[in-house]
Amino acid sequence: MRITALAGGVGGARFLRGLKAQLDVVAPESELTVIANTGDDISLFGLRVCPDIDTLLYTLGGGVNEDQGWGRADESTRVQGELAAYGAVPQWFTLGDLDLGTHIVRSQWLAQGQTASEVTERLATRWGLPDRGIRLLPMTDTPVETHVVLDEGDEQRAVHFQEWWVRLRAEVPASRFVVAGLDRAAAAPGVLDAIRTADVIVLPPSNPVVSIGIILGVPGVRDALRGSTAPVVGVSPLISGRPVRGHADACLSAIGVESSAAAVAGLYADFLDGWLVDPADAGVRVRGVEVATHSAPLLMTDVPTTAAMAAELLALAERVRR
Ligand code: FO1
């Protein structure tokens, strides 16, 4: 079975780890292609940092810091300490010593003229992903970045997404998100094909605005999803209107969408076939469109629990298969 997923960072990576565990049991020959958001990417200290790609790499590759959901397990920050001692800025984004290994080698390979796709494939190979039938694709090889226009009354100020997300903790209201370069970006090699040839298309509980929403903005992606004959099934990133982690509610209010499982499904209504919601949101009706919903506990407390969620999603996909 060929499964294609669109994913952002922590929530998406956690869910896909459970999905992979479930596939290893019920369909061990499956191929999982993950199309990753690159709007979170940021250049720091001369290095290119790709948080969603790296969170997917480390989570699926078994090296993630489990408590944080991002960065490396058994991490240290000796280099960061030296950068601080030199007064290097910014200091609000922690780059661990092991994590820096990824950014240094990525930056070297990019500087040698390799594409983001080629670099990501080499990084994924070190983490054993291809051998396990997992392909990790950046959504585009074109450098793009999400910037946030802050709603501070009269003055309009834009900051990089990471500054809004990490330093401001999304506590300053955003008036809109601007993804520099997205309208001129080309889908990375294999991305549109992975959507067109999938047997099942999965939207994990990633941020619908700044993760999945950004991937949908890559020219051709949304049309490919609309034209897909495969069932497109997703997992609500909200439980009773609240994100389990992160700031999806702040992102939704920035685009004038209510924080509810139904409203998020409404953002995908032109291609979504099935929507998995928490029992707290059972019976949700997606405004005006036919989306089959099913409820199952959505708290990803550990891999077996997440694998059970994935089993529910796969069952929903078979029920809605066109
Ligand atoms: N998140 C934080 O809250 N604080 C950090 O200092 C931080 C550093 C960081 C470094 C590398 C990386 O891959 C992710 C990092 N994140 C940090 C998480 C990141 O902001 C988010 O995971 C995504 O960008 C949103 O999905």
Side-chain angles (χ1 to χ4, degrees):
M1 175 164 45
R2 284 177 301 214
I3 298 189
T4 295
L6 278 59
V10 179
R14 279 216 167 122
F15 179 80
L16 292 177
R17 181 173 60 182
L19 173 63
K20 179 60 184 150
Q22 181 61 14
L23 290 171
D24 286 348
V25 171
V26 298
E29 296 312 307
S30 310
E31 293 162 20
L32 174 61
T33 300
V34 183
I35 299 168
N37 169 44
T38 58
D40 288 10
D41 294 3
I42 184 169
S43 291
L44 292 171
F45 311 114
L47 300 173
R48 194 64 177 160
V49 178
C50 305
D52 283 353
I53 292 267
D54 295 346
T55 296
L56 287 158
L57 271 181
Y58 298 158
T59 303
L60 294 170
V64 75
N65 177 312
E66 205 56 53
D67 298 338
Q68 284 177 171
W70 53 267
R72 288 286 299 277
D74 308 321
E75 186 58 283
S76 55
T77 54
R78 297 186 70 189
V79 173
Q80 185 87 29
E82 282 302 289
L83 294 174
Y86 283 114
V89 288
Q91 281 299 317
W92 45 263
F93 197 78
T94 305
L95 293 175
D97 299 329
L98 301 179
D99 195 30
L100 278 164
T102 303
H103 311 318
I104 291 166
V105 78
R106 168 187 286 122
S107 304
Q108 180 189 40
W109 292 337
L110 288 171
Q112 290 167 351
Q114 295 176 45
T115 64
S117 294
E118 289 162 342
V119 168
T120 302
E121 186 173 2
R122 290 179 74 173
L123 298 172
T125 299
R126 178 263 166 109
W127 287 98
L129 271 50
D131 291 347
R132 292 169 48 218
I134 303 173
R135 231 178 3 147
L136 178 55
L137 306 177
M139 65 186 200
T140 176
D141 283 341
T142 311
V144 294
E145 289 186 1
T146 301
H147 287 249
V148 184
V149 179
L150 301 178
D151 183 359
E152 290 175 317
D154 51 347
E155 63 159 319
Q156 291 261 312
R157 186 162 67 98
V159 295
H160 188 283
F161 168 77
Q162 292 298 347
E163 183 168 357
W164 182 67
W165 190 266
V166 175
R167 188 172 72 80
L168 301 177
R169 290 191 299 280
E171 287 165 357
V172 176
S175 63
R176 61 196 164 90
F177 300 101
V178 176
V179 190
L182 189 58
D183 52 342
R184 292 186 310 281
V191 163
L192 297 181
D193 187 55
I195 295 172
R196 292 181 186 129
T197 61
D199 297 311
V200 180
I201 297 170
V202 167
L203 301 182
S206 289
N207 188 305
V209 181
V210 293
S211 293
I212 292 180
I214 303 297
I215 303 172
L216 296 177
V218 174
V221 167
R222 197 166 201 128
D223 288 344
L225 288 165
R226 283 185 184 136
S228 162
T229 54
V232 181
V233 289
V235 182
S236 172
L238 304 177
I239 296 179
S240 300
R242 304 277 311 135
V244 176
R245 310 168 48 93
H247 315 294
D249 44 355
C251 297
L252 286 162
S253 63
I255 63 168
V257 172
E258 71 167 3
S259 281
S260 71
V264 172
L267 292 174
Y268 309 141
D270 51 326
F271 57 80
L272 188 69
D273 298 309
W275 190 234
L276 193 63
V277 299
D278 186 87
D281 300 307
V284 71
R285 291 287 307 143
V286 182
R287 208 173 17 271
V289 288
E290 265 320 292
V291 172
T293 59
H294 179 65
S295 76
L298 294 190
L299 218 45
M300 300 186 281
T301 46
D302 55 26
V303 176
T305 304
T306 310
M309 276 172 62
E312 298 281 357
L313 192 71
L314 292 173
L316 179 58
E318 289 319 306
R319 277 204 298 283
V320 300
R321 188 171 289 284
R322 292 170 184 167

